[in-house]
Amino acid sequence: MTEGLKVVSMFPFTAESLEELREAAQAEVLVRSNNAEFLAQVPEAEVLCAFRLPENIRELAPHLRWLQYPGAGVDALGPTGLLEPDSGVIITTASGIHATTISEYVFGSMLMFNRSWPELVRLQDRRIWGSTSWFNLRKLELAGQTLGIVGVGSIGRHIARLGHAFGMRVLGMKRSASKGDEDIDQYYTPAYLHELLGLSDYVVLATPLTPETEKMIGEAELRAMRKGAYLVNIARGRVVDEQALIRALREGWIAGAGLDVTEEEPLPADSPLYTMPNVILTPHISGETVYYDERLVALFVDNLRRYRAGQPLRNLYEARRGY
């Protein structure tokens, strides 16, 4: 760390938050919302905080040593080369700050589907009282059902905790099976993914996007799921083979899906996902919350203090894992 530490951010921190960051950094912290103004400051920056960076950021920012990424998944940084083991840049993520809001989104989606709320809202819009139609709609309960979580990180653990609160049995998948986690009734490694899928009434995808997880959920996996199962994807769209999913939803391999992410974003207007009655679709907003700024600032402040003290940073990206 140099004496003249300079921190530049494109995240729109408030004036109050900016003061907290400056105190923690004991140095200059600049916020530039305009891309051109941001890029004008990066040549002297040692620390950056931004979602989108140009592919040649290493050339533009020769003094860059640390990027505090404001999101949890860093796959968008691939073209910059910063994710390579020899990039010389430390990357930390915002993993964990979305746990509450994304977990609540997951259960909101599941509850909406299981009580047929999308159909009932459509009936309301048409001024139709739903009493006669209700007999043909889905009327399930979460209690007593099995929840399978693919990717048990900070978000997955919070989802598991809520699952138990709803009286569900919770299964989890991660790279290496674990013991002693009170929120997970049974762990599975990726080799046993099909077994987890076959046992689950609800499957939540919360895994990072890596070469190993890209299109992890394809035709074979969708066919391994129960016909009455509901899939929720709050990970990345490319974790799922979207064409296989569309076919599964059309042909009834699974009952439905809640999708906050898609292979291509924005989702093209001609995608059949928009009009499928067994799909709840949202535009990648599950992590949005009025507390985002507050939580990101708390994490960044802590990491800035650690950085100045030469201590290990929180939420370190590890190139060997891909997240």
Side-chain angles (χ1 to χ4, degrees), residues 72-75 150-153 205-214 216 235-236 239 321-323:
V74 295
D75 44 284
V150 180
V152 185
L205 305 180
T207 184
L209 178 64
T210 68
E212 291 75 25
T213 63
E214 187 161 5
M216 169 189 284
R236 287 292 186 270
V239 170
R321 298 187 309 176
Y323 58 92

Side-chain angles (χ1 to χ4, degrees), residues 14-206:
T14 64
E16 182 179 351
S17 297
L18 194 54
E19 284 305 310
E20 288 186 62
L21 293 168
R22 285 171 176 156
E23 182 180 350
Q26 298 179 34
E28 182 179 20
V29 180
L30 301 176
V31 172
R32 296 291 184 266
S33 56
N34 178 282
N35 189 59
E37 293 177 357
F38 172 76
L39 293 178
Q41 296 294 333
V42 301
E44 302 302 322
E46 184 173 329
V47 180
L48 294 179
C49 179
F51 275 110
R52 295 177 180 83
L53 295 174
E55 294 185 12
N56 63 338
I57 187 63
R58 293 302 286 119
E59 299 172 23
L60 298 175
H63 303 293
L64 178 62
R65 293 189 58 190
W66 168 31
L67 169 65
Q68 172 63 66
Y69 195 67
V74 295
D75 44 284
L77 296 174
T80 67
L82 295 179
L83 302 181
E84 299 300 320
D86 59 353
S87 73
V89 177
I90 299 167
I91 298 176
T92 54
T93 72
S95 177
I97 71 172
H98 315 79
T100 298
T101 185
I102 291 181
S103 297
E104 291 181 359
Y105 170 95
V106 165
F107 280 87
S109 178
M110 289 162 55
L111 290 166
M112 284 175 64
F113 188 75
N114 286 333
R115 302 302 293 178
S116 299
W117 281 8
E119 290 91 339
L120 292 171
V121 170
R122 293 184 188 110
L123 289 173
Q124 177 185 344
D125 288 342
R126 294 160 55 197
R127 297 176 179 271
I128 296 175
W129 186 252
S131 57
T132 55
S133 302
W134 176 242
F135 293 105
N136 299 318
L137 299 180
R138 189 173 166 109
K139 303 177 286 291
L140 296 183
E141 299 175 357
L142 299 184
Q145 303 294 305
T146 299
L147 170 64
I149 304 170
V150 180
V152 185
S154 57
I155 293 172
R157 285 192 181 87
H158 203 82
I159 293 169
R161 195 172 304 125
L162 292 184
H164 271 166
F166 273 98
M168 305 181 77
R169 178 179 179 233
V170 181
L171 311 179
M173 193 203 83
K174 55 191 287 190
R175 280 188 170 186
S176 56
S178 301
K179 295 180 180 179
D181 191 330
E182 63 181 9
D183 296 317
I184 305 291
D185 294 302
Q186 179 69 48
Y187 264 117
Y188 294 81
T189 59
Y192 295 93
L193 172 61
H194 283 210
E195 183 175 340
L196 178 147
L197 295 174
L199 292 170
S200 302
D201 300 292
Y202 312 86
V203 175
V204 178
L205 305 180

Side-chain angles (χ1 to χ4, degrees), residues 11-12 51-52 70-72 94 96-106 155 234 236 260-261 265 282-296:
F11 189 87
F51 275 110
R52 295 177 180 83
I97 71 172
H98 315 79
T100 298
T101 185
I102 291 181
S103 297
E104 291 181 359
Y105 170 95
V106 165
I155 293 172
I234 47 84
R236 287 292 186 270
D260 187 48
V261 289
E265 296 179 6
T282 53
H284 205 147
I285 49 78
S286 63
E288 296 296 323
T289 171
V290 294
Y291 304 110
Y292 201 101
D293 182 285
E294 175 185 323
R295 291 169 182 163
L296 179 60

